[in-house]
Amino acid sequence: MSNYMVITAHFIDAEWVLHKRILSFTPIANHKGDGIGKLIEACLIDWGIERLFTITVDNASANKVAITYVKKKLANWSVNSMVLNGLYMCSAHIINLIVQDGLAEVNHSIASIRNAVKYVRSSPARLQKFKTCVDREKISYGGLMVLDVPTRWNSTYLMLHKAVVFEKAFDRMKEDDGHYVNWFVEDEGENKREGPPSDDDWANARRLVNVLSIFYYVTLKFSSSLDVTSNDYLNEMAKVLINLKSLATSSDDLLRKMAKKMEQKFAKYWGDSFDQVNMLLFVANVLDPRCKLEFVTFCFSSMYEPRKVEELKSNIKELLMKLYNNYIGGSDVRNSGGICFGDIHDGSSSGGGGGSGGGGPSSSIMSIDLFSSFKMMKQSSNDDISSKNDVEKYLTDANESTSNAHFDILTWWKLNGHRYPILSQIAKDVLAIPVSTVASESAFSTGGRVLDPFRSSLTHKTVESLICTQNWLRSTLLGERIIQPTQEETEFYEVIEAGNMLLLYFDIVLVISLLTNHSNIFV
């Protein structure tokens, strides 16, 4: 029952490969902001990390205190410890909050279906009866029933998505299983269990599945920890808002109420002020060569009025220039003030023939190498373009085609970064920003397997060593491409494991029986 905190680092290396590494998996006394901040500071010191670009957390108040603490401490380390003084350090993800507000409208229906699924999954005998009902209703579907985690809306979506397929099977359970209806009448603590699901509950579930699918596929994109996600943030959130606006005018009362609640929560973070949004995520869209500033402006035009669009466009370009100036300050860039004809010289100073005051031809005629002078002028001009106008050059160059379904943004920057030397350094940092904390949250699943009930006496240091070593070795050996199991696969593995344990139990009983009756049998 220990509280743990995990810190995961994301970075792009010199070969433009995105890396994810667990740096710390340590116990924490409480969830207070200062405690979280101190652990982050200790982790940075342990690893010798002196520069920090962004920190991605959820929007809990304790995390905001932690960010403030870290910014204060890093400011004392060095002027260059944070980019732009840490102004854009915190990136809060909000999809979960938007969806939870919408789900509040249909809590009763969700609870009813959740209890029905819980009943079916509560014992092998009940599951077998349910399968019989599925067969008798001639429902052909290979997926397993999923029980959600109420605090994770995406698992609720998966549960409802599968449950509505088996609606007729659940209805048949009322007829074929006498305990099914009675189970809902029983008290669960102080309250009666919600359910069994009515026709209205199933109708609400079908509506909800359609709405949640919008957010589910956006979340899948954001949840990737092995691919760049920051450059998709703006266009995916724009899709969400467009869909919500459409649902808000629906003739269906339930959908309209849900959409309006979600819109209000959306506006809290994505309203006119943009105080809660990390503007670097808009810069990431600009650094996508298929999008640049034009696509960002186009997305904003579907979300805000023209005056606000122009203001945002100006702010994003200004931020990109601030980053450029910040990065160029640490680069060795020449700044030539004009053209210097270095090969023009006076014959008298060359030591070449000429009498004392004779005024021969060599004293009045200069030797000029125009090719060398032209070469120097071109070099100076090229230096000026590459170092001073990197941003303008990138923005005015033609966009890449949007038709390439397999476009790899990191490969593009690897091949074209030499054309924008300073901007490519910015891209390497901005594109590494994860827009979700799923990479860190997945570490707790690993932690649950490492620190299971059979190994509950491991020390904190041992747990951290096992988790970090596994993460680093797998990332190195498999080239970062570790395929995480889906929720369906995880459910399947759990069933298989439970079945294996049951078989093992029967094997042990059989062995004991054989040994009891025949002492000369060896197993």
Side-chain angles (χ1 to χ4, degrees):
M1 299 300 294
S2 299
N3 297 316
Y4 277 85
M5 188 178 95
V6 61
I7 299 174
T8 308
H10 297 253
F11 61 94
I12 296 172
D13 65 15
E15 294 300 316
W16 288 90
V17 176
L18 180 64
H19 293 268
K20 178 197 73 173
R21 295 288 190 277
I22 295 177
L23 300 184
S24 171
F25 192 92
T26 54
I28 184 170
N30 52 57
H31 292 191
K32 293 182 179 179
D34 284 346
I36 296 171
K38 288 176 181 177
L39 271 185
I40 296 174
E41 180 190 18
C43 179
L44 296 176
I45 292 172
D46 287 345
W47 283 92
I49 297 173
E50 297 181 351
R51 300 197 70 199
L52 197 60
F53 193 68
T54 61
I55 299 177
T56 301
V57 293
D58 61 29
N59 62 341
S61 57
N63 286 333
K64 294 179 181 179
V65 174
I67 295 296
T68 302
Y69 178 91
V70 172
K71 287 166 68 173
K72 182 176 68 175
K73 294 301 179 183
L74 286 178
N76 296 333
W77 289 5
S78 165
V79 177
N80 297 319
S81 292
M82 298 177 290
V83 175
L84 301 181
N85 297 319
L87 183 61
Y88 301 99
M89 185 169 284
C90 177
S91 169
H93 56 101
I94 61 169
I95 290 181
N96 182 59
L97 298 176
I98 295 172
V99 175
Q100 292 294 355
D101 271 26
L103 293 181
E105 292 290 327
V106 286
N107 272 339
H108 171 79
S109 297
I110 295 172
S112 298
I113 294 173
R114 180 183 295 124
N115 285 332
V117 174
K118 188 183 295 184
Y119 175 85
V120 167
R121 288 174 51 91
S122 60
S123 75
R126 290 173 178 176
L127 184 60
Q128 187 55 50
K129 285 183 180 179
F130 181 74
K131 288 180 178 178
T132 302
C133 292
V134 171
D135 293 336
R136 288 179 178 176
E137 292 295 333
K138 301 187 182 302
I139 299 172
S140 57
Y141 185 73
L144 296 170
M145 291 299 302
V146 177
L147 183 62
D148 72 331
V149 179
T151 56
R152 293 178 178 267
W153 71 266
N154 51 337
S155 67
T156 302
Y157 164 77
L158 291 173
M159 178 187 72
L160 297 176
H161 179 67
K162 293 185 177 181
V164 294
V165 176
F166 298 107
E167 177 185 349
K168 292 181 180 179
F170 280 108
D171 288 341
R172 193 177 186 100
M173 288 281 287
K174 298 177 184 177
E175 305 168 6
D176 295 1
D177 185 351
H179 299 290
Y180 178 68
V181 175
N182 293 334
W183 184 79
F184 289 94
V185 178
E186 296 173 5
D187 289 337
E188 188 179 37
E190 297 180 357
N191 303 315
K192 175 181 170 293
R193 291 191 181 100
E194 298 281 1
S198 64
D199 290 342
D200 287 341
D201 292 331
W202 289 116
N204 289 340
R206 284 190 292 273
R207 292 190 191 112
L208 198 55
V209 166
N210 290 331
V211 175
L212 292 184
S213 63
I214 301 167
F215 297 91
Y216 181 72
Y217 292 109
V218 170
T219 303
L220 284 184
K221 274 200 169 187
F222 289 169
S223 298
S224 173
S225 59
L226 301 175
D227 297 297
V228 175
T229 55
S230 55
N231 64 315
D232 281 326
Y233 185 72
L234 173 60
N235 47 319
E236 293 300 329
M237 294 304 286
K239 290 178 189 176
V240 168
L241 182 57
I242 292 169
N243 278 292
L244 288 180
K245 286 183 176 180
S246 175
L247 288 171
T249 59
S250 171
S251 57
D252 189 311
D253 289 341
L254 178 64
L255 292 182
R256 191 168 60 253
K257 288 179 182 177
M258 286 178 59
K260 286 183 177 179
K261 273 201 168 187
M262 290 179 174
E263 264 195 300
Q264 289 172 2
K265 182 65 74 171
F266 191 100
K268 180 180 178 181
Y269 295 93
W270 277 66
D272 291 339
S273 63
F274 274 89
D275 293 336
Q276 304 290 328
V277 180
N278 189 339
M279 299 291 283
L280 286 175
L281 296 175
F282 301 150
V283 172
N285 250 112
V286 175
L287 293 174
D288 187 329
R290 299 167 299 173
C291 303
K292 300 190 179 179
L293 204 54
E294 294 90 342
F295 181 78
V296 174
T297 306
F298 175 77
C299 286
F300 283 142
S301 64
S302 65
M303 302 164 70
Y304 305 105
E305 60 182 22
R307 179 189 59 80
K308 187 64 179 178
V309 172
E310 288 302 315
E311 180 186 341
L312 287 168
K313 178 182 176 181
S314 175
N315 290 343
I316 293 167
K317 188 172 181 180
E318 182 182 352
L319 173 57
L320 186 56
M321 287 305 304
K322 283 182 180 178
L323 284 169
Y324 178 77
N325 292 330
N326 185 277
Y327 276 68
I328 206 172
S331 304
D332 182 18
V333 181
R334 287 183 295 173
N335 185 10
S336 178
I339 302 173
C340 174
F341 291 94
D343 286 330
I344 300 177
H345 59 270
D346 191 314
S348 61
S349 63
S350 67
S356 56
S362 60
S363 63
S364 59
I365 299 176
M366 295 183 294
S367 175
I368 302 175
D369 186 350
L370 290 175
F371 282 111
S372 296
S373 300
F374 177 72
K375 182 179 178 181
M376 290 185 66
M377 182 197 72
K378 290 290 291 180
Q379 182 65 43
S380 176
S381 176
N382 289 338
D383 286 346
D384 185 59
I385 291 174
S386 63
S387 63
K388 282 191 171 182
N389 301 310
D390 235 12
V391 174
E392 293 297 337
K393 183 182 177 184
Y394 169 77
L395 294 177
T396 54
D397 284 348
N399 291 21
E400 292 294 321
S401 172
T402 58
S403 60
N404 183 3
H406 303 289
F407 179 80
D408 188 333
I409 189 171
L410 295 184
T411 300
W412 188 91
W413 275 102
K414 181 179 180 180
L415 297 176
N416 295 276
H418 65 280
R419 296 163 55 193
Y420 321 103
I422 304 300
L423 201 60
S424 66
Q425 295 176 33
I426 299 172
K428 191 172 288 185
D429 289 337
V430 172
L431 295 177
I433 299 173
V435 299
S436 171
T437 58
V438 70
S440 293
E441 290 166 359
S442 64
F444 289 103
S445 300
T446 304
R449 292 192 292 271
V450 170
L451 196 62
D452 62 21
F454 302 101
R455 290 188 294 183
S456 57
S457 299
L458 296 178
T459 65
H460 300 315
K461 281 292 183 184
T462 304
V463 172
E464 182 175 31
S465 299
L466 289 172
I467 290 174
C468 290
T469 304
Q470 180 193 61
N471 174 258
W472 281 64
L473 285 176
R474 282 186 172 183
S475 298
T476 304
L477 295 176
L478 301 182
E480 294 287 337
R481 295 292 162 182
I482 304 170
I483 306 301
Q484 299 291 342
T486 64
Q487 186 156 353
E488 289 184 11
E489 292 169 336
T490 302
E491 291 281 334
F492 176 74
Y493 298 148
E494 288 177 358
V495 172
I496 295 298
E497 287 174 4
N500 288 341
M501 289 297 292
L502 192 61
L503 289 173
L504 179 62
Y505 169 76
F506 284 124
D507 286 345
I508 293 171
V509 171
L510 178 61
V511 170
I512 292 173
S513 176
L514 287 172
L515 289 175
T516 302
N517 298 325
H518 304 281
S519 59
N520 61 338
I521 294 177
F522 294 90
V523 179

